[in-house]
Amino acid sequence: MQLRSKDLLGIEGLTEQEITLILDTADSFREVSERSIKKVPTLRGRTIINFFHEPSTRTRISFEIAAKRMSADGINFTKSGSSFSKGETLLDTVLNLQAMQADLIVIRHAVPGAPGLIARHLDASVINAGDGPHEHPTQALLDMLTIRRNLGSLKGKTVVIVGDIAFSRVARSNIHGLVTMGARVIVAGPPTLIPMGIERLGVEVSYDLDRVIPEADAIMILRIQLERQGKIFLPSLREYSRLYCLTADRLRQARRDVLVMHPGPINRGIEIDPRVADGDRSVILDQVANGVAVRMALLFLLAGRKEMTMNQ
Ligand code: CP
């Protein structure tokens, strides 16, 4: 089986079979990172360009590591130091990258839809590494892999997503993926950070975190986007923390085997207590490890697809 599209632009629209294919492939690549020589020759000769218009630690570095572990030639490219400052457009930039025979472009961009725009103009594959508040598909895939590896499956599991649902690409991608995979999703947070009508995506809404914590198999804490402070979404950070910070006291109301998740970067003491972030229910660093495997899987399934088609 192959993915239907040459690109991964979002989780919305992926089938259960496609998500399962990506997670199964990632599971098989996890073992490579545990070897003393962490490398397979699978993508030798392929050129992968990581093009990050916004800051990133986890996503950018794990794509770089994934390309190296697959023996691809990885090129890293950020906005600063490029010809953007001379007025070159996004589309002209990526057409130039394609002219240099890039096989796959990974892009993070502040504008929702930017990866989709370039994908329509390129023969090369495109992976969305986060586009504004729209989608962050590789984050959702690594989150789903983490839940599946820890709890055995996604079907029937209750995942509570807490915080800034309105502006979170992580929440949006996870909602699409988890609902497609048969999980029950509850979004929790202040009314100002939960969009009206979000139930249409198949989720339940709660403004009372304490009420839903006991139902959770996994609690996914979102970063409060401090760069948005000063806008009207929260009365104060102290008020937010009082009601929605995942503290050790709150965690005591949860199942003993609940998973505590966070995509990072963490604001310690605001959305999550440091003792909980570092505690025995936390799988936050597991998520990071699974991120490398998911990105290896996607490079294999997309950059390797020409070869897979020729071999069929
Ligand atoms: N989770 C995530 O996207 O982190 P970075 O912004 O560091 O890539």
Side-chain angles (χ1 to χ4, degrees):
M1 184 183 165
Q2 281 199 30
L3 299 176
R4 287 168 301 159
S5 171
K6 73 174 178 61
D7 310 300
L8 179 72
L9 303 176
I11 299 291
E12 186 176 13
L14 288 184
T15 63
E16 182 179 346
Q17 290 73 24
E18 286 178 303
I19 294 173
T20 302
L21 171 68
I22 298 167
L23 300 187
D24 288 349
T25 310
D27 247 337
S28 71
F29 279 126
R30 250 196 78 109
E31 167 273 321
V32 174
S33 297
E34 286 155 15
R35 298 180 190 171
S36 57
I37 297 176
K38 304 175 186 60
K39 218 171 181 63
V40 289
T42 316
L43 293 182
R44 198 160 47 200
R46 297 272 190 257
T47 302
I48 291 163
I49 299 190
N50 290 318
F51 179 22
F52 278 68
H53 252 241
E54 278 192 325
S56 167
T57 297
R58 281 147 288 271
T59 312
R60 185 169 62 82
I61 293 175
S62 64
F63 266 115
E64 287 178 39
I65 290 176
K68 287 186 197 312
R69 295 213 171 138
M70 303 294 281
S71 302
D73 296 316
I75 313 292
N76 302 306
F77 176 39
T78 56
K79 186 177 173 184
S80 64
S82 74
S83 289
F84 278 95
S85 56
K86 302 177 200 164
E88 189 165 38
T89 66
L90 175 63
L91 199 48
D92 280 336
T93 303
V94 294
L95 288 170
N96 278 270
L97 301 179
Q98 179 165 268
M100 293 182 236
Q101 306 301 325
D103 294 295
L104 188 148
I105 296 174
V106 176
I107 180 167
R108 171 172 287 189
H109 203 282
V111 176
L117 171 78
I118 68 170
R120 285 195 292 281
H121 288 83
L122 296 181
D123 296 325
S125 293
V126 175
I127 297 180
N128 177 4
D131 59 335
H134 175 224
E135 281 232 32
H136 192 349
T138 61
Q139 179 68 45
L141 289 161
L142 73 87
D143 291 338
M144 288 190 279
L145 182 63
T146 304
I147 296 172
R148 200 179 78 159
R149 287 180 65 86
N150 280 279
L151 301 180
S153 93
L154 292 157
K155 212 177 226 19
K157 298 293 185 291
T158 297
V159 181
V160 176
I161 307 179
V162 188
D164 182 356
I165 310 296
F167 297 101
S168 171
R169 55 196 178 202
V170 175
R172 199 174 308 274
S173 289
N174 264 297
I175 288 169
H176 288 305
L178 290 165
V179 168
T180 300
M181 298 306 285
R184 174 186 176 214
V185 179
I186 304 174
V187 294
T192 47
L193 292 180
I194 298 189
M196 297 268 289
I198 195 165
E199 293 90 342
R200 282 197 295 271
L201 299 182
V203 304
E204 299 166 41
V205 173
S206 176
Y207 305 124
D208 183 352
L209 178 60
D210 293 306
R211 189 181 65 72
V212 294
I213 275 186
E215 300 177 39
D217 294 296
I219 305 171
M220 195 179 285
I221 305 294
L222 300 175
R223 179 173 79 90
I224 279 294
Q225 303 191 34
L226 291 173
E227 61 272 26
R228 291 189 199 285
Q229 293 314 305
K231 307 216 172 110
I232 55 167
F233 303 110
L234 292 174
S236 74
L237 281 181
R238 184 183 297 183
E239 176 74 354
Y240 179 84
S241 294
R242 190 176 67 77
L243 294 172
Y244 298 105
C245 179
L246 188 60
T247 58
D249 275 350
R250 284 207 162 96
L251 195 59
R252 272 192 277 280
Q253 308 308 313
R255 295 165 53 118
R256 287 172 64 86
D257 58 352
V258 73
L259 304 180
V260 172
M261 307 176 71
H262 192 304
I266 297 174
N267 299 308
R268 287 174 179 264
I270 295 178
E271 69 259 1
I272 188 165
D273 184 321
R275 288 171 299 166
V276 174
D278 303 329
D280 63 352
R281 299 317 313 154
S282 171
V283 291
I284 294 171
L285 295 178
D286 256 19
Q287 290 172 261
V288 177
N290 287 328
V292 175
V294 157
R295 287 159 183 137
M296 288 170 78
L298 288 165
L299 298 184
F300 172 70
L301 291 167
L302 296 177
R305 65 189 275 125
K306 281 186 210 143
E307 198 159 89
M308 282 191 276
T309 309
M310 277 173 359
N311 289 342
Q312 276 171 4

